[in-house]
Amino acid sequence: MNQNLFDMLGGLRTGGEAVCFVLPDGRTISYRALIARSSQFANALVAAGVSPGDRVAVQIEKSWESIALYLATIRAGAVFLPLNTAYTPAEVSYFLSDAEPRIFVCDPARESSLAESSHDARIMTMSAAGAGSLPAMADTASREFATVERSGDDLAAILYTSGTTGRSKGAMLTHSNLASNAKTLVTAWQFTKADRLIHALPIFHTHGLFVACNVTLACGSSMIFLPGFSVDEIFRFLPEATCLMGVPTFYTRLLQDSRLNREATAGIRLFVSGSAPLLAETHDEWRARTGHAILERYGMSETNMNTSNPYEGERIAGTVGLPLPGVTIRITDLSTGEVKGVGEVGAIEVAGPNVFSGYWRMPEKTAAEFRGEFFNTGDVGVIDQRGYVSIVGRTKDLIISGGYNIYPKEVESEIDALEGVMESAVIGLPHPDFGEAVTAVVVLKPGCALTEEFIKQELSQRLARFKVPKRISFVKELPRNVMGKVQKNVLRESATQIGT
Ligand code: AMP
């Protein structure tokens, strides 16, 4: 049987006239129309020289047609390579020189500025409104396309990791990585054709593309496809939806709006959060205001989704839940690699059909991150008696001060628990005596005026001396990337520059 992801996403086969996309202007796009458009794009890609195994890189605005292009690439047996729309021409140049795609699709407005970034790739264009050389070519192409035969181990996509340290690496995902994870999530989260998801995430990332879209396409449900996150648009569509998938910032922003209450969320059966830690406080406030317990899950570009709080059963705030069926998680010692027991903190390693096949053209880096079938996620965490996983930070964010290991999350949780604190980020900065000095960057709630001395004093009653920040600075907001992740590298850089 053809293991091509397109054939494995069952909802695509059975969708027919059912609605797949609801657009903000009220138009709807059926499964039949999506498949026909993907055939046209696939024919256009083949005519433009794409063969199985070739990479097709895209840096385009979100639209339903960009999902048709994703499916077209997969159907042609090629490898889909989505790029963050915020990347500059210099960054794009690196990705394209590394991945050597056959085709690079960009927005028509950026074509000239990206001309020199494309290397040997043929540049084609496509706008969110469906204009450009690729859609024009597709318009005249056949609405039929025979999906290319692929094995489960063939590559379907490459996602470049955000690369906050060193060069960005291309995570190679196979057809079966993506198909198996979509199937697992449909079952775990009880998705059916009747679901309607509010899709307000970007589609160049695992969350918006492989979780949100693949789950929808796997079960034949529909999505309200928004160009981005807007509080007003979410409130407009909540009454028509059954599910929202978001990053924690979606939830904190919605909580700031007085329209958020039980009535506004009455039709929703599932709120999912991921990509960055959801504060326990946000979880609790959300539950108090709406009656819903947000389901937090944990995954990454390299592995798709690893763990999820249960659909039925207790969703525990501050944890990322249990390993998904078929996924094995173990915690290992950060220096010796020895497998740790319940309640012991260490490196999170993961094995399963979801785990990628390696970094593109980086065999040494790949070998360094795998031990047998286990991939070292770079996250540090702990598993409790009941099997729930909690993440305490990234290995690279671990602070070593005076020979002691400090997990930023532990210090952040104590700071966040102080009355008047909105949130915080704890980082290590170079220090002549200690190696690194624990440093906190704190955001206060409006109207609150805590001092550095006060916070230090409070913390010294709760934390061992070596964990208490040596310096605390205050900012209006923490720097976050588009997926809501706090950019600790940015904090480290700016703090070093101002000599904090
Ligand atoms: P990315 O590859 O961009 O999706 O980033 C993956 C990383 O995001 C993971 O390795 C974690 O560090 C972080 N992450 C994802 N989901 C969660 C979560 N629910 N809680 C905390 N961190 C998360």
Side-chain angles (χ1 to χ4, degrees), residues 1 62 80 100 113 135 150 253 274-275 293 342 347 354 446 487 495:
M1 184 190 161
K62 183 174 174 181
F80 191 67
E100 296 186 309
S113 66
R150 294 275 87 184
R253 298 227 179 119
S275 295
V342 167
N354 53 319
Q487 294 169 301

Side-chain angles (χ1 to χ4, degrees), residues 159-162 205-207 248 273-278 296-307 319-320 377-380 391 393-394 396 409 481 483 485:
L159 285 187
Y160 275 89
T161 58
S162 33
H205 187 266
T206 187
H207 196 167
S273 176
S275 295
L278 183 80
E296 185 169 8
R297 95 297 177 279
Y298 157 59
M300 61 199 308
S301 306
E302 290 93 330
T303 63
N304 302 281
M305 297 305 107
N306 297 317
T307 70
T319 81
V320 292
T377 58
D379 291 312
V380 182
I391 299 173
R394 300 277 302 159
K396 64 177 193 306
K409 176 87 182 282
N481 71 9
M483 299 310 293
K485 289 187 219 294

Side-chain angles (χ1 to χ4, degrees), residues 427-472:
I427 52 175
L429 292 182
H431 188 281
D433 281 347
F434 299 110
E436 281 184 303
V438 181
T439 308
V441 183
V442 174
V443 182
L444 295 176
K445 286 187 177 150
C448 294
L450 307 186
T451 63
E452 176 170 5
E453 271 324 299
F454 172 82
I455 297 180
K456 279 188 189 169
Q457 209 170 359
E458 289 292 315
L459 293 180
S460 56
Q461 292 166 34
R462 298 171 169 82
L463 293 170
R465 241 175 105 85
F466 67 91
K467 296 181 191 168
V468 176
K470 305 260 174 305
R471 284 296 310 271
I472 297 175

Side-chain angles (χ1 to χ4, degrees), residues 147-177:
T147 299
V148 169
E149 191 93 17
R150 294 275 87 184
S151 89
D153 293 339
D154 284 323
L155 285 195
I158 295 179
L159 285 187
Y160 275 89
T161 58
S162 33
T164 45
T165 47
R167 285 200 321 152
S168 190
K169 306 178 289 286
M172 300 191 288
L173 295 154
T174 65
H175 288 260
S176 68
N177 288 152

